[in-house]
């Protein structure tokens, strides 16, 4: 029930020395402001990093052949070997928890010798031979035309999907791209699609836009690769972990290529899921640090409020003695002091939340205008659960701040309080 007299007393007590009250409340205001800003900044960094993984199947690993480092079954120590087409089907049949097994071949590079010609223009690009499912593993958006399809694989069609970087260097402005031809190492390929990569590797997305994708079978045929597979992109199903499957996959491939089970250098691999989990763990640590630092700052504000209320109780000793003499119970005195502490912490804390919200709104507006495609920071924000937790912290802080002064107030004997005058 709303008690008008009680709230009038609270307001009178807090406004008796306005400047002191403002300084006292600032500790809680600043603590909750720092807490929200730190959490939002952590979320912004997490969003930015995850955006870099956008479109990538994170439950994936990449695997390629290397030189053996141990002799095995009469074979020499420094033997070279290659993965074959049969390895792909064998992996699919032996590991039902795998969603995609995409063989890949690669030719050239944008920093190498010119390997692509169109008319009088030439440039160096990375050429990939891929299967259709690779687009589900990589962060590629088809913005025009299509990607490699199954018919391209079956018929070994000489078609290509190119990036915007290729278009900028080989085509004129506003020139139609689909249906045109480019020559890769003397082989004509018809352009059937244009992609946009969201990858930020190699210093940003520029290099990622300068790739050319063609059917895997056409790549092997056109560039005399036989049935050689350069490397594989392997993705596990959602209910399985590629990190858990990796040792079995590596052992399986070692057995197929007569490699010593103890030779850990013969097959190169990169576990994307393992790296992604490390990033997730880092953000959990950052979130803990944000809560820890914010809570410590908030606690300093609470200590300030408690100290000031102790002074206020000392100043109001005579008033408390009179109220006790007139019949006020210890519970009533305690309730009054606790109410003042809770009211002050909640008001100052809510102002801190409001200020932090305003700052985050401004930061997001600035990021929207700048465009965050090439930044590692995006949409710094906190959700409602964090605000709810902050409110609980405020209430708890108010009780904590007022408890000691309240106990001090009720321990004052009426006779001793009246003697202070």
């Amino acid at each position: 029930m709303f008690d008008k007299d009680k709230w009038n007393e609270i307001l009178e007590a807090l406004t008796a020395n306005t400047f002191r009250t403002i300084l006292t409340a600032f500790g809680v205001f600043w603590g909750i402001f720092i807490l929200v800003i730190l959490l939002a900044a952590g979320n912004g960094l997490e969003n930015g990093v995850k955006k870099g993984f956008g479109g990538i199947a994170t439950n994936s690993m990449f695997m390629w052949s290397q030189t053996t480092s141990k002799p095995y079954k009469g074979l020499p120590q420094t033997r070279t070997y290659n993965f074959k087409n049969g390895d792909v089907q064998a992996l699919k049949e032996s590991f039902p928890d795998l969603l995609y097994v995409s063989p890949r071949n690669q030719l050239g590079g944008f920093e190498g010798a010119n390997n692509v010609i169109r008319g009088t223009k030439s440039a160096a690009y990375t050429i990939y031979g891929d299967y259709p499912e690779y687009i589900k593993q990589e962060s590629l958006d088809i913005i025009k035309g299509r990607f490699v399809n199954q018919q391209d694989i079956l018929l070994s069609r000489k078609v290509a999907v190119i990036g915007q970087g290729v278009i900028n260097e080989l085509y004129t402005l506003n020139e139609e791209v689909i249906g045109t031809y480019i020559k890769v190492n003397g082989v004509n390929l018809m352009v059937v699609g244009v992609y946009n990569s969201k990858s930020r590797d190699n210093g940003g997305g520029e290099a990622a836009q300068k790739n050319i994708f063609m059917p895997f079978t056409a790549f092997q045929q056109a560039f005399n690769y036989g049935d050689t597979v350069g490397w594989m992109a392997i993705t596990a199903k959602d209910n399985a972990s590629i990190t858990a499957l990796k040792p079995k996959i590596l052992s399986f491939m070692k057995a197929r290529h007569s490699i010593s089970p103890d030779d850990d250098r013969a097959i190169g691999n990169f576990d994307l899921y393992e790296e992604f989990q490390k990033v997730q763990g880092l953000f959990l640590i950052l979130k803990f640090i944000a809560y820890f630092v914010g809570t410590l700052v908030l606690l300093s504000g609470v200590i300030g409020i408690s100290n000031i209320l102790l002074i206020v109780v000392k100043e109001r000793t005579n008033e408390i003695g009179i109220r006790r003499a007139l019949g006020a119970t210890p519970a009533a005195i305690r309730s009054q002091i606790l109410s003042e502490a809770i009211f002050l912490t909640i008001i100052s804390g809510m102002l801190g939340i409001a200020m932090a919200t305003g700052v985050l709104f401004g930061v997001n507006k600035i990021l929207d205008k700048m465009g965050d495609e090439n930044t590692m920071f995006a949409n710094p924000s906190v959700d409602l659960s964090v605000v709810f937790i902050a409110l609980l912290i405020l209430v708890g802080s108010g009780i904590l701040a007022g408890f000691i002064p309240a106990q001090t107030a009720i321990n004052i004997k009426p006779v001793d309080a009246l003697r202070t005058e």
Side-chain angles (χ1 to χ4, degrees), residues 70-77 79 254-261:
K70 294 182 179 181
Y72 187 66
K73 292 184 177 180
L75 297 171
Q77 177 177 346
R79 177 171 58 95
K254 288 176 183 178
R256 282 185 63 86
H257 291 274
S258 299
I259 298 170
S260 170

Side-chain angles (χ1 to χ4, degrees), residues 338-354:
L338 285 176
S339 296
E340 292 174 11
I342 293 172
F343 179 76
L344 184 58
T345 52
I346 289 179
I347 291 298
S348 54
M350 292 304 295
L351 287 174
I353 292 175

